[in-house]
Amino acid sequence: MTETFEHLVVGKGMIGAAALRYLSCGSQRVAAIGPDEPVDAEAHDGVFSSHYDQGRICTQLSRDRLWGELTRQSMSRFGALEAASATHFYRPAGMLYIAPAADVRAIAALAHAMAVEHVWPARPDMAALCPSVALPAGHGALLEMAPAGIIDPRALIRSQLSIAMRQGASVIRETVVAAEKTSAHWTLTTDQGRQFTAKNILICAGAYSNCFGFFRRQIAIRVKSETTILVKVSGADAQRLSGMPAIAYQIDAPRISDVYLTPPLVYPDGNIYIKLGANTDEDVILQTLDQMQHWMKHGCRHPRQDMVQALCALIPGLDVSAVQVKRCLVTYSDHGKPYIDALGNGLFIATAGNGSSAACSDTLGSLAADLMLERTWPAAFQPADFSVRLMPDSPANPRLHPGEPG
Ligand SMILES: Cc1cc2nc3c(=O)[nH]c(=O)nc-3n(C[C@H](O)[C@H](O)[C@H](O)COP(=O)(O)OP(=O)(O)OC[C@H]3O[C@@H](n4cnc5c(N)ncnc54)[C@H](O)[C@@H]3O)c2cc1C
């Protein structure tokens, strides 16, 4: 039997879970369809996500005012979300920017413009401010104070979904493999052969948004391989580094750039790890579903030594004898902002996190829900900044309605 909803969200990742919660405030007939995290990635045949981890950095200063405002609004709701779901996911640990002097000046200017509380220490004062961190030669630093910090993305999703379900939403733990538009409604078919219909559907499938024929023409996204290392931290080091903020480090190195790291965090295996990620000269753009699956299951298998060395240089004395490598997917849009848009005929999109949308996922979900519920956006955000762009020359998908503009 086909179940019918008013709004269906495809993907219950960071943005989809938030959108579901907001939609569930406005309608009783809402559901999200998306699989749970696989237990064994290498044996997994389905889709992956960009949030299978314990730490995502929340900062208002990483990009520009618009990103800052998206994140500021999300962070302002974390306390209420934690309380409403009895789920702890947020640690306001602060965020340390380490960069050449001119770049630190630009970050300070953004902090002033956005009235973000920060400390911009002279080089000798760094030791008192962040005693565990060694400032590399030629670099300055700026500490963004709380509410900047760290969220546990899995726990934030649990929090969003539990509140949504309490408000009447359904969560269907399957993968959508086909979408079809008739004149009356959308029909979504899952990998379990079940069908669900709805007046409106919202695609929040992250890196996989182009893989299942959801759009008449493919949307303009680039999916990049992302490599991180997890360094196992001893109890003594965890204690020594307990006040450590999240860090973004503009490293001067031949083969890696844009280094970021989290403070020590407890992972599901019970161990404590510091995570370090970066762009690398081995990163690739993954063009097809097969390429994404191959990367997530069999890509980079050994930790890069330059990443380990970057960590050792920043945190002297850290024991780095147990290091693992992790693989992930980053989805970029054409204009550098997420796509949140209505494509017509009840088809909506909220995707392309550009590597920074865990922190602001709650705001992105609220904007998507506003679109679907025909509500006006808050004055800080203009739809034009989030318009979807289509891949030039991509073939039309015949399963969708012939008049469908998307
Ligand atoms: C290594 C790494 C570090 C990052 N660090 C940060 C950070 O510090 N701060 C920050 O703000 N952001 C960070 N990001 C980015 C952030 O994680 C993403 O922007 C965010 O997860 C995007 O949310 P999403 O909902 O678009 O995608 P996802 O969280 O990936 O969710 C998409 C969901 O769609 C589901 N799905 C896919 N296809 C289907 C289908 N056909 N049917 C049903 N469901 C489907 C997937 O299962 C998945 O759960 C990082 C990303 C990576 C990879």
Side-chain angles (χ1 to χ4, degrees):
M1 203 186 75
T2 304
E3 244 186 291
T4 300
F5 293 91
E6 187 178 7
H7 306 291
L8 272 173
V9 180
V10 177
K12 58 173 183 56
M14 305 234 56
I15 301 174
L20 182 72
R21 180 175 72 79
Y22 283 100
L23 286 169
S24 69
C25 302
S27 167
Q28 285 296 301
R29 300 293 302 151
V30 295
I33 310 180
D36 287 336
E37 181 171 347
V39 178
D40 177 356
E42 293 197 12
H44 178 62
D45 279 333
V47 297
F48 293 90
S49 91
S50 301
H51 66 258
Y52 299 152
D53 192 20
Q54 293 302 102
R56 288 287 182 265
I57 296 168
C58 297
T59 163
Q60 296 177 68
L61 302 180
S62 67
R63 289 170 180 250
D64 58 25
R65 285 188 82 130
L66 182 56
W67 279 99
E69 184 59 19
L70 287 167
T71 304
R72 188 193 67 74
Q73 292 201 10
S74 271
M75 289 193 296
S76 71
R77 293 186 286 262
F78 286 166
L81 276 176
E82 286 192 320
S85 58
T87 305
H88 173 59
F89 61 79
Y90 170 47
R91 191 206 294 187
M95 169 83 191
L96 184 69
Y97 284 90
I98 299 177
D103 296 287
V104 176
R105 259 198 305 281
I107 299 165
L110 183 59
H112 277 296
M114 294 196 66
V116 170
E117 196 185 337
H118 64 281
V119 180
W120 186 6
R123 216 184 143 82
D125 299 332
M126 257 299 286
L129 196 62
C130 292
S132 51
V133 178
L135 197 55
H139 283 65
L142 182 143
L143 180 64
E144 178 184 350
M145 311 303 281
I150 293 286
I151 49 169
D152 171 343
R154 293 172 170 129
L156 172 52
I157 289 173
R158 278 201 306 277
S159 164
Q160 300 278 23
L161 294 180
S162 72
I163 299 171
M165 288 194 290
R166 208 167 60 216
Q167 293 174 168
S170 303
V171 173
I172 299 152
R173 297 172 194 278
E174 297 174 23
T175 302
V176 178
V177 293
E180 198 155 7
K181 177 76 173 91
T182 61
S183 54
H185 53 232
W186 286 90
T187 301
L188 301 181
T189 306
T190 72
D191 57 344
Q192 304 301 306
R194 296 208 291 164
Q195 291 198 318
F196 301 91
T197 63
K199 185 177 86 170
N200 296 321
I201 60 168
L202 172 66
I203 307 301
C204 299
Y208 294 85
S209 294
N210 272 335
C211 297
F212 296 91
F214 298 132
F215 307 107
R216 184 168 152 76
R217 282 181 40 207
Q218 297 220 317
I219 58 165
I221 52 174
R222 272 176 307 122
V223 178
K224 185 184 82 67
S225 64
E226 180 83 357
T227 309
T228 60
I229 56 169
L230 286 184
V231 177
K232 193 169 164 188
V233 174
S234 67
D237 267 344
Q239 191 139 27
R240 171 171 78 92
L241 301 172
S242 61
M244 179 183 152
I247 299 177
Y249 170 27
Q250 231 169 283
I251 194 170
D252 181 13
R255 298 182 55 207
I256 57 172
S257 59
D258 306 312
V259 169
Y260 54 90
L261 53 152
T262 63
L265 300 170
V266 180
Y267 274 67
D269 67 1
N271 292 314
I272 302 171
Y273 297 91
I274 289 181
K275 181 187 70 180
L276 180 144
N279 287 322
T280 84
D281 60 354
E282 290 173 331
D283 292 351
V284 284
I285 299 298
L286 304 161
Q287 312 267 11
T288 63
L289 177 60
D290 281 352
Q291 288 175 1
M292 286 196 274
Q293 298 306 82
H294 184 78
W295 163 254
M296 289 304 285
K297 291 163 79 160
H298 312 293
C300 180
R301 303 188 85 82
H302 303 290
R304 290 178 61 114
Q305 278 316 302
D306 47 7
M307 285 180 149
V308 177
Q309 281 158 11
L311 182 58
C312 292
L314 275 184
I315 307 180
L318 188 70
D319 174 6
V320 291
S321 51
V323 187
Q324 304 172 27
V325 67
K326 292 275 177 192
R327 302 178 283 271
C328 196
L329 300 166
V330 175
T331 308
Y332 293 101
S333 66
D334 208 31
H335 50 47
K337 305 289 189 303
Y339 293 145
I340 304 178
D341 209 342
L343 291 94
N345 281 329
L347 176 62
F348 296 83
I349 184 167
T351 201
N354 290 276
S356 302
S357 290
C360 60
S361 56
D362 190 74
T363 312
L364 299 176
S366 79
L367 296 177
D370 281 348
L371 272 187
M372 296 178 82
L373 299 169
E374 298 182 11
R375 293 179 180 153
T376 312
W377 279 5
F381 305 115
Q382 300 306 317
D385 289 323
F386 301 90
S387 304
V388 69
R389 291 191 186 162
L390 303 178
M391 210 78 100
D393 306 326
S394 71
N397 173 3
R399 275 206 313 273
L400 303 186
H401 194 277
E404 163 59 47

